[in-house]
């Protein structure tokens, strides 16, 4: 597909270029494969907005793996396994309203929140949180979870 280059103004079939690039995540260098589009006449390169993989998500995932942090799918899976809404789980942990949603959707949590998430994702610790904050859950759900845990 021909495109007009915003750098040189020429129309051409752009090339797809894939290469490893360094990303700095919390002062740690992480190499991630990036897909770019290159204008053949001038060589200018642009981010491919239609690329399947977001390089920042890949960098965050690698950072989480290296640091042993909770991944978004783990957080969501745990919460759903115990039939907790984002609001309920957030209240149990003392997070703000949208914080958990951001983490479940790929935002990188800070170390303190990660420690609390990993702590809360152990059944005995979840039970302790429910007992410490009984008003975070409706009475019936609280009693059902306490019995289950």
């Amino acid at each position: 597909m021909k495109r007009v280059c915003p750098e040189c103004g020429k129309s051409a079939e752009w090339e797809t270029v894939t290469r490893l690039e360094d990303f700095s995540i919390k002062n740690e260098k992480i190499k991630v494969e990036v897909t770019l589009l290159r204008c053949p006449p001038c060589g200018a390169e642009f981010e491919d907005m239609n690329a399947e993989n977001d390089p920042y998500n890949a960098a965050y995932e690698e950072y989480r793996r290296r640091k042993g942090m909770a991944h978004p799918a783990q957080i969501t899976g745990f919460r759903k396994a115990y039939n907790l809404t984002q609001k309920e789980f957030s209240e149990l942990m003392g997070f703000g309203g949208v914080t958990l949603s951001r983490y479940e959707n790929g935002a990188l949590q800070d170390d303190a929140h990660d420690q609390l998430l990993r702590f809360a994702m152990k059944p005995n610790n979840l039970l302790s949180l429910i007992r410490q904050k009984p008003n975070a859950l409706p009475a019936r759900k609280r009693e059902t979870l306490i019995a289950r845990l």
Side-chain angles (χ1 to χ4, degrees):
M1 175 173 137
K2 283 192 172 189
R3 302 171 192 248
V4 176
C5 177
E7 291 291 320
C8 70
K10 295 180 181 170
S11 178
E13 291 286 335
W14 286 22
E15 304 166 339
T16 300
V17 178
T18 303
R19 68 169 172 251
L20 289 177
E21 287 191 4
D22 284 331
F23 283 74
S24 181
I25 307 296
K26 297 190 179 191
N27 296 320
E28 186 158 334
K29 296 273 187 213
I30 298 175
K31 287 197 179 293
V32 175
E33 189 173 274
V34 177
T35 301
L36 302 169
L37 296 173
R38 179 184 296 149
C39 170
C42 72
E45 294 179 342
F46 303 92
E47 185 177 342
D48 183 357
M49 302 306 281
N50 295 319
E52 290 182 23
N53 296 323
D54 178 354
Y56 283 97
N57 282 341
Y60 287 170
E61 281 300 306
E62 176 60 18
Y63 182 86
R64 285 186 192 99
R65 187 194 65 74
R66 289 181 187 181
K67 301 295 182 184
M69 298 175 91
H71 292 262
Q74 291 173 315
I75 299 166
T76 304
F78 179 84
R79 179 180 59 76
K80 288 182 176 182
Y82 287 97
N83 196 31
L84 293 167
T85 66
Q86 285 182 338
K87 183 178 184 218
E88 291 166 344
F89 197 35
S90 291
E91 286 184 26
L92 286 170
M93 293 185 298
F95 286 178
V98 297
T99 301
L100 184 65
S101 175
R102 287 183 184 137
Y103 296 157
E104 287 186 0
N105 285 298
L108 186 61
Q109 64 268 31
D110 60 30
D111 291 338
H113 278 181
D114 183 66
Q115 284 182 334
L116 184 54
L117 281 164
R118 286 185 292 122
F119 173 86
M121 289 168 60
K122 294 181 178 161
N124 287 340
N125 297 336
L126 179 61
L127 178 59
S128 293
L129 288 172
I130 292 168
R131 288 184 171 150
Q132 288 173 19
K133 297 182 178 183
N135 294 330
L137 302 174
R140 176 172 274 179
K141 183 180 267 189
R142 183 179 61 246
E143 294 308 317
T144 300
L145 274 172
I146 288 173
R148 180 176 171 197
L149 293 163

